[in-house]
Amino acid sequence: MKTKFRIIFSVFLFGFLTSFLILEISLFIYSYLCLGKAKVYEFDNQTGYNFKKMILSKKVISGERISFITDNFGLRVPSIKEQTRNSVFPDDNRTRVLVVGDSFAEGQTNVEYRFDYVMNNLSHDFYASAVGCGGFDTLQQIKVSEPLLNNLRKDDYFILLTCGNDFGDILRKSIFGRSKPYLELKNGSLKITEANNNLLYRMRDISYTIGYALQFWDALHMKFVFDEEETRRSHDIYITYISHVFNELSSRGIRPKIVFHSLNKTSLTDELFSKVRSENIDFFNLDNFLGNKQKYLLDDNFHWNVEGNKLVAQKILSFLEND
């Protein structure tokens, strides 16, 4: 009986290990050959992202192949060096405009069609430079801008391009914990809490199979819809943090502004705008002009196409010219 059990167990174990090895090799081939991507280990101290066995990919920007790594959610995050190297302002009398955001600031079209390039072609009074990447939340957007703030002079502009999903990013957790520092508001006091990756996060490093399985599980459990109480909390965290950042910028003679876009129009949106006004923060809402009109959006996602970027450039310039 024991011999029979050992044989059955051995056959099962052999089959399991063989299947696991085949799957592991298949995912290795899929990652390296089919996707042209590879494992990377990197820690970026500036934005606080903790990279463990992530995916390295390439994106072509103006004819150059730029390296990107993915964050905990599989979203591309460029190195700070790549983000900031094209953000040098010319030494002239034009008013400088630093725009910081997520994938909309990064641009999903060819970079020469991005709204900041269009602004520079349309205006002789302003020179704009946009910095951002898909997956950056508000905290990371501000962090990545810090090395560039020394390039701004008195009466130059700092624009925070805030997408509706940025508020979800403030609250959103994954099965892996929080892979980057995040904002918390407790008893009216704002704090930045360090990343607290859990055991599942570390388990992703064991193998491709386990890593992909856990990321798939994470995607299934990711929360994208928040109730009113959660939404208000994200608004309060955002406003408290931005008020602090903008007060500091104003003390240096820099003029900070918010440009909202891609918000879900609800009573909570009007409530958000009222709270922003109460903090004497200047802003405007691009949705008043863009809406969800398909002619301004890419066919395969909701990012701005060439025409959308042109309209955004015109509206931001009009906003600044009337300031």
Side-chain angles (χ1 to χ4, degrees), residues 164-178:
N165 62 19
D166 287 350
F167 298 104
D169 290 338
I170 290 173
L171 300 178
R172 191 173 293 117
K173 300 178 182 178
S174 78
I175 64 170
F176 305 113
R178 304 291 285 257

Side-chain angles (χ1 to χ4, degrees), residues 194-257:
E194 292 303 312
N196 53 358
N197 302 309
N198 58 27
L199 178 62
L200 287 179
Y201 186 83
R202 292 188 289 273
M203 284 178 63
R204 292 190 313 166
D205 294 338
I206 296 174
S207 77
Y208 281 95
T209 304
I210 293 175
Y212 274 105
L214 287 173
Q215 288 197 356
F216 180 72
W217 182 26
D218 182 43
L220 289 177
H221 289 80
M222 189 68 68
K223 185 173 184 178
F224 291 98
V225 179
F226 300 91
D227 60 32
E228 287 193 2
E229 181 181 349
E230 291 172 319
T231 302
R232 285 194 175 96
R233 182 155 57 89
S234 71
H235 290 173
D236 290 341
I237 292 173
Y238 171 86
I239 293 170
T240 303
Y241 178 59
I242 295 308
S243 295
H244 169 75
V245 172
F246 278 23
N247 286 338
E248 186 175 331
L249 291 173
S250 297
S251 71
R252 298 168 56 179
I254 299 170
R255 294 184 278 186
K257 313 285 182 183

